[in-house]
Amino acid sequence: MLSKKTKYGLKALTFLASQKVKQPVQIAEIAKQENISQKFLESILLSLRKTGFLGSKKGKGGGYYLIKEPKEIFMTDVMRVLEGPIAMVPCVSLNFYEQCDDCPDEDSCAVHMLMLKVRDANLKVYRNTSLADLTG
Amino acid sequence: MLSKKTKYGLKALTFLASQKVKQPVQIAEIAKQENISQKFLESILLSLRKTGFLGSKKGKGGGYYLIKEPKEIFMTDVMRVLEGPIAMVPCVSLNFYEQCDDCPDEDSCAVHMLMLKVRDANLKVYRNTSLADLTG
DNA sequence: ATTTACCCTATAGAATTAGTAGATTAATAA
DNA sequence: TTATTAATCTACTAATTCTATAGGGTAAAT
C-alpha cells in the first residue's frame, strides 16, 4: 500500500507545480484544497524541503514553493524520499542494498529473481515520469 | 517493503516446486531448509492451501504439496494471496477497487495517474512470471 | 500411540497518522 | 522603533494498526 505520506506529498507537489503565479503557497491553503490533515502535511513539506524539492519562506506572505522546474523533478527521487526505497527487498536495491541474512545465495533465490524484475519495471515508470507529466 | 509472509510463502512454494519426488513435505523440513520461523510458516502454508495452491496430508508421511504444475501458477495470483492487492492504491485496483474519499476526481488525480502506470508495470511482470520461472 | 497438520490466542515491537504546545522568523502596522 | 500578526519550525505524545512470532491444544492419518 502507498502510504498517506506519499499520497499527500505527491498531491502537494502537483498542487505547487500547477500554480500559475510563482509565489509561496501556505500549508493551510494546500491542506484545504487537497483535503489533507494540515499538521501531517506540515511534516511532509518539511521533509520535502530538507531534501531539496521545496523552498520555504517564513512569516507573512510565506509558504512553500518548488525549487526546480516540474520537468526536472522525477518520480524516482520523489518516491525515494516519500515512500523509501523503490526495491521491495534490500537485496535488489540500488541505493539501499543490504544482504539478506537468511538467504545463502542471491543468484538462486526466487524472491530475489522476482523482485529484481519488479524493481526494474517500477524504476522504468518512475524514471520516465516527471512532476510535469502528472499535472495533466 | 515486501512482507516476510510473502517472502516466506514464495520460498516455500519454490521449495515445493523444486522437489523431485512428488511426496508431501513437512512444515518443519521447509522451515529448516529455508530459515523460516516454523510457526509463522505454518499459518502461511495454511492460507496457501485454503486458496487452492497447496494440498496437505496429515499424520506420518504427511505434509504439503503443490496442487498445480509450477508452470500454471502465476505470480499475479500468488502475490494477491500473500501480499494483497497488486495496486498500491484502491482506486487503481482491478480486483479490489474502492473510490478515494478525499479525491474529487480520479481522472485529474496525480496519484491515480502515476499509480495506474505502476500497477500496469507490475501486473505485466507478475502475469509473465510463473513459479516454474523462479526455480531456475 | 505417534506423527503430523490444524486452529486459536496472545504479545512485543514497529510503523503510520495524526494531535498539542510552543519557539522562531519575517513582514507589516502603530 | 516597537508591537502585532502570520507563518514556518521543532519536539513530544498518542491512538491505531500491522507485523512477526510464540504457545498450547485439537483433529486426523498411519
Side-chain angles (χ1 to χ4, degrees):
Chain A
M1 272 285 285
L2 196 74
S3 68
K4 291 203 172 184
K5 178 182 176 185
T6 303
K7 187 178 175 181
Y8 294 163
L10 281 170
K11 288 201 169 202
L13 285 173
T14 49
F15 186 80
L16 290 175
S18 63
Q19 292 296 306
K20 286 153 200 165
V21 195
K22 274 240 167 177
Q23 277 180 344
V25 182
Q26 303 159 24
I27 297 175
E29 169 79 7
I30 305 175
K32 190 184 170 191
Q33 293 295 324
E34 297 290 343
N35 288 310
I36 302 173
S37 146
Q38 176 166 344
K39 218 47 188 157
F40 192 22
L41 180 61
E42 208 171 296
S43 68
I44 297 169
L45 294 178
L46 202 59
S47 82
L48 285 171
R49 197 211 61 185
K50 289 184 176 172
T51 48
F53 293 96
L54 300 179
S56 69
K57 194 184 168 193
K58 283 188 182 180
K60 209 167 200 172
Y64 282 96
Y65 52 90
L66 283 179
I67 282 187
K68 290 187 282 186
E69 288 297 311
K71 278 182 192 174
E72 305 300 322
I73 301 176
F74 290 96
M75 289 304 114
T76 29
D77 305 311
V78 174
M79 289 299 289
R80 285 202 181 101
V81 164
L82 293 174
E83 190 74 4
I86 288 167
M88 292 185 79
V89 284
C91 71
V92 300
S93 180
L94 293 174
N95 295 264
F96 305 89
Y97 176 83
E98 261 181 67
Q99 213 176 3
C100 289
D101 47 350
D102 56 334
C103 173
D105 179 26
E106 279 185 7
D107 296 329
S108 64
C109 173
V111 178
H112 185 83
M113 217 175 299
L114 179 62
M115 289 303 128
L116 209 56
K117 291 189 192 181
V118 171
R119 185 209 64 184
D120 286 341
N122 285 335
L123 265 185
K124 196 174 171 186
V125 170
Y126 292 139
R127 279 188 179 139
N128 288 326
T129 310
S130 75
L131 194 52
D133 298 319
L134 297 181
T135 56
Chain B
M1 272 285 283
L2 196 74
S3 68
K4 291 204 170 181
K5 179 183 176 185
T6 303
K7 187 177 175 182
Y8 294 164
L10 281 170
K11 289 202 168 200
L13 285 172
T14 49
F15 186 80
L16 290 175
S18 64
Q19 292 297 306
K20 287 154 197 161
V21 196
K22 273 241 169 177
Q23 277 180 345
V25 182
Q26 302 159 25
I27 298 174
E29 168 79 6
I30 305 174
K32 190 183 170 192
Q33 294 295 323
E34 298 290 342
N35 288 309
I36 302 172
S37 146
Q38 177 166 341
K39 217 60 180 138
F40 192 23
L41 180 60
E42 201 172 300
S43 69
I44 297 168
L45 294 177
L46 199 60
S47 83
L48 285 172
R49 197 212 63 184
K50 289 183 176 173
T51 47
F53 293 96
L54 300 179
S56 69
K57 193 183 166 190
K58 286 184 182 180
K60 202 165 199 172
Y64 280 97
Y65 52 90
L66 283 179
I67 282 187
K68 290 187 281 187
E69 288 297 311
K71 278 183 194 173
E72 305 300 323
I73 301 176
F74 291 96
M75 287 306 114
T76 28
D77 305 310
V78 174
M79 289 299 287
R80 284 203 181 101
V81 164
L82 291 173
E83 190 75 3
I86 288 167
M88 291 184 81
V89 283
C91 72
V92 299
S93 179
L94 293 175
N95 296 263
F96 305 89
Y97 177 82
E98 261 182 67
Q99 213 175 2
C100 290
D101 47 349
D102 57 334
C103 173
D105 179 26
E106 279 184 7
D107 295 330
S108 64
C109 173
V111 178
H112 185 83
M113 217 175 299
L114 179 61
M115 288 303 127
L116 209 56
K117 291 188 191 180
V118 171
R119 185 209 63 186
D120 287 341
N122 286 336
L123 265 185
K124 196 174 171 186
V125 170
Y126 291 139
R127 279 188 178 138
N128 287 326
T129 309
S130 74
L131 194 53
D133 297 320
L134 298 180
T135 56

